[in-house]
Amino acid sequence: GIQVEQSPPDLILQEGANSTLRCNFSDSVNNLQWFHQNPWGQLINLFYIPSGTKQNGRLSATTVATERYSLLYISSSQTTDSGVYFCAAVTTSGTYKYIFGTGTRLKVLA
Amino acid sequence: GAVVSQHPSWVICKSGTSVKIECRSLDFQATTMFWYRQFPKQSLMLMATSNEGSKATYEQGVEKDKFLINHASLTLSTLTVTSAHPEDSSFYICSAHGPGQGPTDTQYFGPGTRLTVL
C-alpha cells in the first residue's frame, strides 16, 4: 500500500521564524490533506490539497502530485502553532481510506 | 464545516471490562464513519470503516471480536472495546465525510477518546 513519510520528525522554532514541512507519498493520490493536532488531541483540518497551492493566513500548502510530495509552509510562527502536523493521503486505487503520515512535531518557543 | 463529536472524552476502566465509545455527526448524516487508534507519539492508524446498516470493514490485524463497531443510525457509530486490557490503552478517534461528500473528500474528525485500562 501507499507509504506516507514526513520530514523533519521534530522541529523547534523561535517565535516569528518560518518553516517548511514536507510530506512524501509513494503512489498517486486522490486527496492529500494537512492537519494540525493540538495538545488535546483534536485534529484540525488545515488544507485539502490534492494538487496546486493554497493559502490561509500565515499557512500555505503546495502539492506537486506528479512528483508525489506536498509542502506546508508556516510563516511568522506563533506558540499556538505548536503541536503535531500530519499529512494524510487517499490513493487512487483500491478502497478509499486515509493513510496518515509519520507526523512532524513542532514546538515554537516564545 | 461539519462537526463530529465523541463521548466520553476520556475513560479509565479495569482490565477485563468493556468500554463503549460513541461517535456522532452533528447536523448531518454520515453513511460512513471511520475509527482510528493513536498510540502516544505515533501516527493515526485506521482500525475500521463503519457503514450504516451493515457490517464494519476492519483493517488487517484488527480483531473484530475485540473491537465491536455498530453503526445503527445515520448519525451514530459506536466502538466497544470488549474485555479491555492495558495494551488497549490508546487514543481513539472517529471521523466522517461531510454532508454530500464522497469517499475521496475531506474527513472531519472527532475530538478523540482517551482510554486507560488499569
Side-chain angles (χ1 to χ4, degrees):
Chain A
I2 188 172
Q3 305 294 318
V4 184
E5 298 285 336
Q6 291 182 242
S7 62
D10 296 280
L11 186 59
I12 300 176
L13 297 174
Q14 205 64 41
E15 198 169 29
N18 303 328
S19 63
T20 301
L21 281 58
R22 187 177 180 101
C23 171
N24 292 329
F25 38 95
S26 61
D27 201 354
S28 300
V29 298
N30 267 313
N31 180 3
L32 192 291
Q33 272 192 264
W34 282 97
F35 297 91
H36 175 215
Q37 188 171 40
N38 66 22
W40 297 272
Q42 174 75 62
L43 278 167
I44 300 164
N45 289 318
L46 296 178
F47 293 101
Y48 168 90
I49 186 164
S51 64
T53 298
K54 291 185 177 180
Q55 181 158 7
N56 184 1
R58 296 181 297 103
L59 302 181
S60 64
T62 295
T63 296
V64 183
T66 53
E67 296 187 22
R68 300 180 182 172
Y69 73 88
S70 183
L71 302 174
L72 177 69
Y73 305 96
I74 304 175
S75 64
S76 304
S77 59
Q78 301 175 358
T79 56
T80 51
D81 295 332
S82 297
V84 185
Y85 289 81
F86 289 106
C87 62
V90 177
T91 61
T92 57
S93 61
T95 57
Y96 297 110
K97 56 187 180 183
Y98 273 28
I99 303 299
F100 275 79
T102 48
T104 292
R105 190 171 302 272
L106 173 65
K107 187 172 180 62
V108 181
L109 304 175
Chain B
V3 178
V4 176
S5 70
Q6 280 184 243
H7 178 80
S9 300
W10 56 271
V11 57
I12 300 173
C13 69
K14 293 183 178 180
S15 185
T17 61
S18 294
V19 174
K20 180 184 285 188
I21 302 169
E22 294 184 348
C23 175
R24 294 183 183 273
S25 56
L26 304 184
D27 299 327
F28 74 98
Q29 295 179 336
T31 55
T32 303
M33 290 183 172
F34 305 88
W35 287 96
Y36 295 83
R37 181 167 56 182
Q38 184 181 29
F39 291 110
K41 298 192 177 183
Q42 293 189 23
S43 187
L44 280 75
M45 296 297 292
L46 180 65
M47 297 175 65
T49 301
S50 171
N51 304 299
E52 187 269 334
S54 65
K55 291 183 179 180
T57 304
Y58 290 83
E59 294 301 302
Q60 192 172 5
V62 177
E63 299 175 59
K64 301 177 183 181
D65 295 334
K66 181 164 194 61
F67 299 100
L68 300 180
I69 291 173
N70 184 283
H71 195 152
S73 79
L74 287 171
T75 59
L76 174 64
S77 175
T78 60
L79 168 68
T80 301
V81 183
T82 62
S83 187
H85 291 287
E87 57 266 29
D88 298 322
S89 298
S90 188
F91 192 53
Y92 292 89
I93 308 171
C94 70
S95 71
H97 291 297
Q101 294 191 321
T104 61
D105 291 318
T106 302
Q107 285 187 26
Y108 294 89
F109 286 80
T113 296
R114 196 165 302 280
L115 170 64
T116 301
V117 184
L118 302 177

